[in-house]
């Protein structure tokens, strides 16, 4: 028999028992639909995590005062700040680093007109916005001149702008931070949630010198809360971390064997953990969905076996007029594949409709999967059909 | 008439059926028979005499337990299932008592079925099937389903199907068993015409003497042995 005659024969056989064909297909529709939907959900989760990583900025380190927990005895954080502006200036000379931004932050009360809001006030230099890849939506950022003159200017985060000014444009308006008047010069772009779940837009930026001198006052002159630094590239992350440690140990006059009095936190590894979690989630969802695909496949095997028994006489007639075993095998196999493929297409459509984000990749793979499911689960029944003896099949009532 | 070429010959052909937990049941005992091309043969015998088993063996639907079966000079006993399928397709046409048409498949597609397995393209299959239906007088019922046709018409469709690949041999197993007398006569007339006009060899199993009378040679089976082989007794 010519191969191209097969689809017609299979299609006709499927049409002979529409209800059964439809129900069998439904198993595939649900199985494939679940796979597409789950992959899409997993993809969505990964997408969200990627966005958060993007928002954080890439290749970043945060240097904090205080020893790491592994050092045994540990000073309370901030009780003896060890990181200084001088450290930051020294780090700027390192060739592996792309930028250095010392940061001083503390919580303060903000007020404008009738409303007030408590938030984190972060004293920064212009480099901070560059390293975090944090753009200014309206107005402008903090300039070097403002840092030098310790100007009373502020850049508001989205959340703070909304809480204090509602829908009004805050640029040029005045706001009180800890009872001192500041002029709003800009509003930062929206960053969304951080990987740890805090709202990054609930923040106010002021020049570093303003925060240190005028706003909070510093008990240990020259110290900062943290320093944000960026390595030149992701390949240089390890070298950069070693350079940072060496420089800071030297500057802090630590003897060999003495524990660090600072902590270097690699944000890339945090991001990697989050990405891994998202990947595991995708795999898990995919596995669950695959199980429903397998169940659908077993349903097809079951129905095809019933169909072979029911059509024994037909098989006998076909064999009597010259059908070879291969012809019978292919006919039943193709029926299973057709059911799976059509069911699979419907499943992809269903999954796409159900998922809020789906990529072509997920759809195509699943399509191939459903055809493979048809071959895998359709083979045994088709084989049973092909094995029949013509004389017995013809006698079958 | 010059001696026609031999179409088939069986020698010492035996068939036993295995019974679970018992001795094999013998159905055919060392049957010897030779059939020339163009013969019209009736096979008779009581139930259980082995005549249907003999037909199944001739039709390559079943394999003998022992013996040889030469079809067009080739020993087919012991051929692989796919080779037998090809022989059935090219050389043999079947007509059954119960017609054995595919239900829910139109008359023309039933007739075209052997051509499908012969690898003929679809358009040529349908054209040839239409010609065959015309020949058996059913050209106008090509689209009808088997259950829309009378018994006689269904048997004509089955005969058209048997003719599809221009076989050398038609095997008919009680082809008139389900038909009334008048229709039986029509069907037997059709067989006679095919035999005389086209020289197709016909072997017919029947238990009706009226039907056997259309044949020119009678083989009678009793208990798995040939007990008579000769002229049809009037």
């Amino acid at each position: 028999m010519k191969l191209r005659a097969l689809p017609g024969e299979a299609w006709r056989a499927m049409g002979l028992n529409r209800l059964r064909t439809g129900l069998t297909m439904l198993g595939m529709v649900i199985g494939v639909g679940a796979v597409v939907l789950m992959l899409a959900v997993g993809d969505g989760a990964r997408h969200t995590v990627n966005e958060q990583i993007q928002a954080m900025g890439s290749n970043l380190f945060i240097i904090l005062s205080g020893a790491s927990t592994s050092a045994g005895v540990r000073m309370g954080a901030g009780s003896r700040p060890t990181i200084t502006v001088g450290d930051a200036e020294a780090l700027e000379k390192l060739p592996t680093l792309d930028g250095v931004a010392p940061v001083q932050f503390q919580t303060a009360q903000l007020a404008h007109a009738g409303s007030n809001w408590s938030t984190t006030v972060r004293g920064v230099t212009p480099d901070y916005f560059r390293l975090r890849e944090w753009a200014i939506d309206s107005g402008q950022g903090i300039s070097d001149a403002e840092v030098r003159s310790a100007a009373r200017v502020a850049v508001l985060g989205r959340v703070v702008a909304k809480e204090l000014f509602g829908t009004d444009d805050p640029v040029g308006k005045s706001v009180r931070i800890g009872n001192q008047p500041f002029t709003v010069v800009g509003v930062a772009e929206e960053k969304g949630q951080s990987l740890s779940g805090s709202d990054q837009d609930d923040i106010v930026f002021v020049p570093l010198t303003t925060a240190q001198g005028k706003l909070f006052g510093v008990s240990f002159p020259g110290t900062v809360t943290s320093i944000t630094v960026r390595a030149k590239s992701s390949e240089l992350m390890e070298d950069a971390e070693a350079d940072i440690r060496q420089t800071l140990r030297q500057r802090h006059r630590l003897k060999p064997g003495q524990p660090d009095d600072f902590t270097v936190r690699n944000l890339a590894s945090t991001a990697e953990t989050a990405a891994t979690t998202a990947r595991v989630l995708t795999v898990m969802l995919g596995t669950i969905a695959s199980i429903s695909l397998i169940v659908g496949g077993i349903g097809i095997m079951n129905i095809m076996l019933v169909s072979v028994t029911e059509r024994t006489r037909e098989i006998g007639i076909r064999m009597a007029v010259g059908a070879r075993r291969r012809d019978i095998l292919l006919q039943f196999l193709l029926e299973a594949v057709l059911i799976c493929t059509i069911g699979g297409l419907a499943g992809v459509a269903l999954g796409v409709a159900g998922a809020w984000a789906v990529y072509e990749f997920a759809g195509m793979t699943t399509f191939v999967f459903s055809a493979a499911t048809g071959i895998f689960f359709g083979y045994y029944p088709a084989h049973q059909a092909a094995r029949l003896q013509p004389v017995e099949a013809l006698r079958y009532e | 008439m010059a001696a026609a070429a031999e179409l088939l010959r069986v020698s010492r052909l035996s068939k036993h059926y295995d019974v679970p937990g018992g001795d094999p049941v013998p159905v055919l005992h060392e049957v010897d028979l030779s059939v020339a091309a163009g013969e019209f043969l009736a096979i008779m015998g009581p139930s259980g005499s082995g005549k249907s088993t003999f037909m199944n063996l001739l039709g390559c639907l079943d394999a003998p337990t022992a013996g040889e079966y030469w079809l067009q000079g080739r020993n087919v006993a012991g051929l692989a299932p796919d080779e037998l399928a090809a022989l059935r397709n090219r050389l043999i046409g079947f007509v059954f008592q119960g017609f054995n048409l595919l239900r829910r498949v139109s008359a023309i597609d039933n007739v075209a079925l052997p051509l499908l397995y012969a690898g003929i393209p679809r358009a040529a299959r349908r054209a040839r099937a239409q010609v065959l239906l015309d020949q058996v007088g059913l050209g106008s019922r090509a689209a009808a389903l088997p259950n829309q046709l009378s018994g006689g018409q269904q048997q004509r469709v089955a005969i058209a199907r048997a003719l599809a690949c221009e076989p050398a041999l038609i095997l008919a197993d009680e082809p008139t068993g389900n038909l009334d007398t008048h229709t039986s006569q029509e069907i037997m007339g059709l067989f006679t015409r095919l035999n005389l006009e086209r020289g197709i060899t016909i072997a017919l199993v029947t238990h009706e003497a009226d039907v056997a009378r259309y044949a020119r040679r009678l083989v009678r089976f009793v208990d798995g042995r040939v007990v008579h082989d000769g002229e049809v007794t009037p």
Side-chain angles (χ1 to χ4, degrees):
Chain A
M1 176 159 67
K2 288 270 162 48
L3 281 175
R4 62 163 188 270
L6 271 170
E9 292 288 301
W11 180 254
R12 191 163 55 197
M14 283 165 61
L16 292 185
N17 202 330
R18 288 198 183 83
L19 178 67
R20 186 193 286 171
T21 306
L23 285 174
T24 315
M25 242 178 228
L26 194 62
M28 283 314 288
V29 171
I30 291 170
V32 171
V35 169
V36 171
L37 192 66
M38 292 298 148
L39 286 183
V41 168
D43 247 12
R46 222 169 39 209
H47 192 68
T48 311
V49 169
N50 280 343
E51 261 179 5
Q52 288 173 345
I53 292 170
Q54 285 291 313
M56 208 169 65
S58 48
N59 306 334
L60 290 185
F61 291 102
I62 291 180
I63 302 158
L64 296 162
S65 297
S68 66
T69 27
S70 59
V73 183
R74 185 171 176 266
M75 304 293 284
S79 59
R80 185 181 152 268
T82 53
I83 308 291
T84 64
V85 178
D87 288 343
E89 280 161 4
L91 290 176
E92 256 177 74
K93 298 192 182 84
L94 289 177
T96 44
L97 296 185
D98 177 38
V100 177
V103 179
Q104 177 76 39
F105 63 84
Q106 204 165 323
T107 306
Q109 198 71 19
L110 270 70
H112 168 77
S115 45
N116 70 95
W117 184 249
S118 175
T119 190
T120 306
V121 178
R122 199 170 283 197
V124 295
T125 55
D127 245 8
Y128 181 82
F129 295 96
R130 183 173 68 85
L131 297 188
R132 290 290 314 269
E133 289 163 26
W134 204 330
I136 303 299
D137 262 358
S138 65
Q140 56 198 41
I142 285 164
S143 69
D144 281 321
E146 284 160 348
V147 173
R148 270 197 301 278
S149 63
R152 282 201 174 90
V153 292
V155 172
L156 305 187
R158 270 279 158 223
V159 171
V160 175
K162 187 164 164 279
E163 290 296 336
L164 291 182
F165 293 90
T167 52
D168 297 343
D169 184 9
V171 175
K173 302 227 170 69
S174 147
V175 65
R176 295 187 78 81
I177 305 178
N179 262 335
Q180 297 179 36
F182 279 72
T183 306
V184 177
V185 292
V187 177
E189 75 165 353
E190 198 166 337
K191 274 283 191 185
Q193 253 181 28
S194 76
L195 283 171
S196 59
S198 61
D199 192 340
Q200 299 179 88
D201 299 315
D202 188 2
I203 201 157
V204 172
F205 299 102
V206 298
L208 176 68
T209 45
T210 316
Q212 285 177 317
K214 293 178 179 159
L215 204 48
F216 306 131
V218 185
S219 38
F220 299 89
T223 62
V224 290
T225 321
S226 69
I227 304 174
T228 299
V229 302
R230 182 163 74 182
K232 280 227 169 78
S233 70
S234 54
E235 291 81 40
L236 284 172
M237 287 293 274
E238 270 177 46
D239 291 347
E241 188 168 346
D243 286 353
I244 292 165
R245 279 186 197 286
Q246 205 199 351
T247 310
L248 291 183
R249 285 186 70 89
Q250 224 167 7
R251 282 187 51 82
H252 295 185
R253 298 197 175 85
L254 298 172
K255 294 190 187 80
Q258 230 178 329
D260 291 344
D261 61 353
F262 56 89
T263 305
V264 181
R265 196 175 287 165
N266 183 343
L267 287 186
S269 61
T270 315
E272 213 164 276
T273 310
T276 306
T277 311
R279 257 200 310 275
V280 169
L281 182 77
T282 311
V283 169
M284 196 184 74
L285 291 175
T287 308
I288 293 171
S290 306
I291 290 171
S292 53
L293 194 62
I294 291 171
V295 172
I298 292 172
I300 283 176
M301 189 148 157
N302 205 347
I303 289 301
M304 292 305 289
L305 276 175
V306 171
S307 163
V308 167
T309 312
E310 209 183 55
R311 284 156 64 188
T312 301
R313 203 179 181 80
E314 176 195 327
I315 295 165
I317 295 169
R318 286 178 184 276
M319 285 179 156
V321 301
R324 286 163 299 166
R325 294 185 163 192
R326 197 193 63 159
D327 297 326
I328 302 293
L329 182 86
L330 285 179
Q331 185 190 336
F332 278 84
L333 198 55
L334 196 77
E335 256 181 72
V337 171
L338 264 183
I339 289 176
C340 284
T341 311
I342 295 171
L345 281 177
V348 170
L350 195 78
V352 169
W356 59 271
V358 89
Y359 297 117
E360 208 179 328
F361 168 76
M364 274 315 294
T365 319
T366 319
F367 182 72
V368 172
F369 268 138
S370 51
T373 307
I375 292 174
F376 187 78
F377 288 102
Y379 185 80
Y380 179 70
H383 179 70
Q384 291 295 97
R387 250 188 25 171
L388 285 169
Q389 293 298 324
V391 69
E392 281 160 26
L394 277 171
R395 215 181 280 140
Y396 188 86
E397 292 299 332
Chain B
M1 194 168 87
E6 185 179 73
L7 175 71
L8 66 89
R9 177 163 56 84
V10 299
S11 91
R12 304 173 74 83
L13 195 71
S14 298
K15 179 71 184 175
H16 300 175
Y17 284 112
D18 287 326
V19 179
D23 292 330
V25 177
V27 186
L28 282 181
H29 291 284
E30 303 192 340
V31 174
D32 292 305
L33 195 77
S34 170
V35 178
E39 278 199 80
F40 194 157
L41 186 77
I43 298 172
M44 296 188 78
S47 298
S49 62
K51 59 187 191 300
S52 287
T53 301
F54 184 64
M55 285 291 270
N56 286 337
L57 290 176
L58 287 190
C60 299
L61 289 169
D62 207 353
T65 314
E68 290 173 352
Y69 173 20
W70 298 82
L71 182 60
Q72 285 197 335
R74 188 174 175 205
N75 189 0
V76 301
L79 284 185
D82 280 359
E83 291 174 295
L84 291 177
L87 281 181
R88 290 195 294 268
N89 187 247
R90 283 187 292 108
L91 289 180
I92 304 168
F94 292 94
V95 179
F96 302 93
Q97 178 177 5
F99 319 132
N100 272 341
L101 299 174
L102 294 185
R103 295 179 308 139
R104 298 195 259 199
V105 171
S106 66
I108 190 164
D109 284 335
N110 261 296
V111 173
L113 194 63
L115 300 167
L116 175 75
Y117 295 111
I120 312 276
R122 182 177 156 79
R125 284 206 301 271
R126 289 188 71 92
R128 168 107 181 106
Q130 184 61 52
V131 169
L132 289 162
L133 280 176
D134 289 339
Q135 286 171 0
V136 297
L138 281 176
S140 59
R141 304 301 310 273
L145 295 176
N147 61 12
Q148 295 167 330
L149 298 170
S150 71
Q153 288 173 323
Q154 288 188 53
Q155 197 60 299
R156 284 163 189 271
V157 173
I159 291 170
R161 182 180 65 188
L163 292 170
C165 289
E166 300 184 324
L169 173 66
I170 285 184
L171 297 172
D173 192 354
E174 308 243 16
T176 58
N178 287 1
L179 304 176
D180 59 46
T181 316
H182 177 69
T183 318
S184 294
Q185 283 168 357
E186 280 179 9
I187 294 295
M188 288 317 297
L190 186 54
F191 278 127
T192 307
R193 265 207 337 269
L194 291 173
N195 177 249
L196 291 177
E197 292 172 10
R198 301 204 200 171
I200 298 172
T201 310
I202 293 174
L204 171 88
V205 167
T206 183
H207 56 257
E208 290 171 71
D210 285 349
V211 171
R213 210 164 288 133
Y214 286 87
R216 292 193 302 279
R217 177 181 171 190
L218 176 70
V219 175
R220 192 181 289 276
F221 277 80
V222 174
D223 292 338
R225 292 170 210 274
V226 177
V227 296
H228 171 93
D229 183 2
E231 298 268 312
V232 180
T233 40

